[in-house]
Amino acid sequence: MAKDALTVTDERSGARYELAIERGAIRATDLKRIKPRDDEDGLLSYDPALANTAICKSAIGFVDGDRGILRYRGYPIEELAEKSSYLETAYLIVKGELPDEHHFAMWRHNITTHSMVHENIKKFMDGFRYDAHPMGMLVGTVGALSTFYPDAKHVLDLESRRLQTRRLIGKMPTLAAFAYRRSRGLPYVYPDNDLSYTGNFLSMLFNMTELRYKPDPVLERTVDVLFILHAEHEQNCSTNAVRCVASARTDPYSAVAAGIAALYGPLHGGANEEVIRMLEEIGTVDRIPEYLKGCKTGERRLMGFGHRLYRNYDPRARLIKKLAYEVFEVTGKNPLIDIAIELERQALDDEYFVARKLFPNLDYYSGLIYQALGLPMTMFPVLFAIARTAGWMAHWAELIRDPEQKIIRPRQIYVGEGPRAYTPIEGRPEPIMREDAVSRFI
Ligand code: SDX
């Protein structure tokens, strides 16, 4: 019977090595055995951006990029989007199983009772410039929460982890809404715990003078489904940032602040904001060919397209596209949708994008819905961060419990200068400007 092993020959020494294959991977540390002489360092694996490296074993999210499959704890995203709620999906992601009615009622109570934030947060929020980006405010305020909850440092204590998880999932919508209200110069709206998780978020965003905000049920359901679709996505950049910081046993607020900072990037969660800017720049359908030409020469990216894993349509993009039309029934059609649809049609008919397997990802259509809801572009990645908190907390806990995990400290291939002697400044030659040049050593 075929053996789950790789046999390699080191041509430098003629030695042969057998590397065990486990779950479709070899252990990178096994490569250290491969060296021509005992006094030499063994081989490293070189994988910039970790494009082909598994950094952990995880049981939370599963993506099959070739088939366009996404499951949370084994449940297909399509079923959860149709039948579940964000709070129930968050329970599933964090706890590993769908709750029964009793446990869901407890979970909802425990999250709801943590929706308030310390009053000092308002003073902290007021300190930002009038035009501060809400993602920048969120990075700061979530990081600051670590100073309000020093008990969060007890990361090895299960009850402390459970409490911080409830606090963060409960408080993210409040911090996000406070950032929005601050940016609009509006008074903060306190949580209304009689509303649903998402209804309460809409109330904290949009309540003006009414005694009690009544969310439109279609919009409430839409945002809840968007939260489900954004809740988890295995080892994406921001989850990896959370895991890396958490591996030093930092508190979860600081680790999640790092995740929010990564998500802020235009190549990651910030793409939904960039998609709207792109569609507005294109302006009319007849300017699409010209715009696509610039994408193919590399002078710009087709924002909302492409994915490291999906070599097929992102299943979330398909669901969001359908959701957009349901929202437009209530809000009126976002005129940019016509440009988005035609842009997608032309891109998927163009060899450049087809050859590179570039399809719409979940950021391509989501911004059109957020904009139709009346949210400013800068808030789009903030809603992504609210939803992804469930995934981040689940990965944080999984890392802490994983006996194979320890502080993350990758290796490098040094390509810099060899040893050099210090010289006095007098007579020193003009320095070579290296800080923005691609290293001449690579
Ligand atoms: C998210 O990882 C996750 O799971 C993330 C996420 C999650 O749920 O957490 O799914 C959420 O971040 C979705 C992605 C949102 N970002 C964007 O929409 C920004 C635009 N997309 C790209 O920048 C890009 O596609 C990435 C960042 C998403 C993926 O980049 P990769 O895998 O590193 O691909 P690459 O840069 O190596 O590109 C491969 C080729 C290159 O061309 P060649 O050098 O081979 O000639 O494809 C080209 C790229 O130039 N390419 C694009 C493109 N994306 C890749 N060309 C034009 N437009 C694009 N969008």
Side-chain angles (χ1 to χ4, degrees), residues 248-406:
R249 294 207 177 149
T250 309
D251 70 272
Y253 301 98
S254 306
V256 167
I260 297 167
L263 191 69
Y264 195 179
L267 295 187
H268 192 10
N272 51 25
E273 192 181 334
E274 295 306 319
V275 167
I276 298 298
R277 291 204 168 90
M278 171 182 75
L279 296 173
E280 288 176 344
E281 182 188 339
I282 293 172
T284 55
V285 167
D286 59 352
R287 292 183 56 201
I288 289 175
E290 187 56 33
Y291 192 87
L292 285 177
K293 208 181 292 174
C295 296
K296 294 188 281 188
T297 57
E299 68 185 88
R300 61 172 80 99
R301 288 246 153 151
L302 185 55
M303 300 312 278
F305 261 68
H307 199 280
R308 179 65 54 79
L309 299 183
Y310 289 117
R311 294 312 186 217
N312 200 321
Y313 216 99
D314 182 334
R316 302 167 297 177
R318 208 188 298 284
L319 293 164
I320 293 174
K321 184 176 177 180
K322 185 167 154 289
L323 209 54
Y325 286 101
E326 292 165 20
V327 172
F328 297 160
E329 290 294 314
V330 175
T331 63
K333 188 167 100 168
N334 184 332
L336 292 177
I337 186 88
D338 295 330
I339 299 175
I341 295 284
E342 179 56 17
L343 179 60
E344 174 189 344
R345 190 194 65 76
Q346 291 190 27
L348 296 187
D349 194 33
D350 185 308
E351 185 48 31
Y352 175 92
F353 299 95
V354 173
R356 290 165 177 78
K357 298 190 184 300
L358 300 176
F359 292 89
N361 57 51
L362 92 164
D363 287 309
Y364 188 63
Y365 287 105
S366 54
L368 292 168
I369 295 177
Y370 295 142
Q371 193 174 50
L373 295 176
L375 285 167
M377 278 187 270
T378 52
M379 278 297 288
F380 298 177
V382 172
L383 273 79
F384 196 150
I386 294 172
R388 190 52 59 90
T389 301
W392 289 334
M393 298 316 285
H395 281 277
W396 168 61
E398 189 176 70
L399 172 115
I400 297 289
R401 291 197 313 267
D402 184 342
E404 285 200 292
Q405 292 295 331
K406 46 190 179 180

Side-chain angles (χ1 to χ4, degrees), residues 86 111 114-117 125 135 138-139 141-143 145 164-180 197 200-201 204-205 227 252-253 256-257 259-260 263 379 381-390 392-393:
Y86 173 72
I111 300 291
H114 287 288
S115 56
M116 290 291 276
V117 292
M125 199 69 91
M135 279 296 267
L138 204 59
V139 172
T141 41
V142 170
L145 286 183
Q164 312 321 325
T165 300
R166 295 195 291 260
R167 278 173 170 158
L168 263 159
I169 294 176
K171 295 178 194 307
M172 283 296 266
T174 311
L175 296 174
F178 276 23
Y180 170 71
Y197 182 85
N200 173 42
F201 174 57
M204 293 189 289
L205 282 176
F227 281 170
Y253 301 98
V256 167
I260 297 167
L263 191 69
M379 278 297 288
V382 172
L383 273 79
F384 196 150
I386 294 172
R388 190 52 59 90
T389 301
W392 289 334
M393 298 316 285

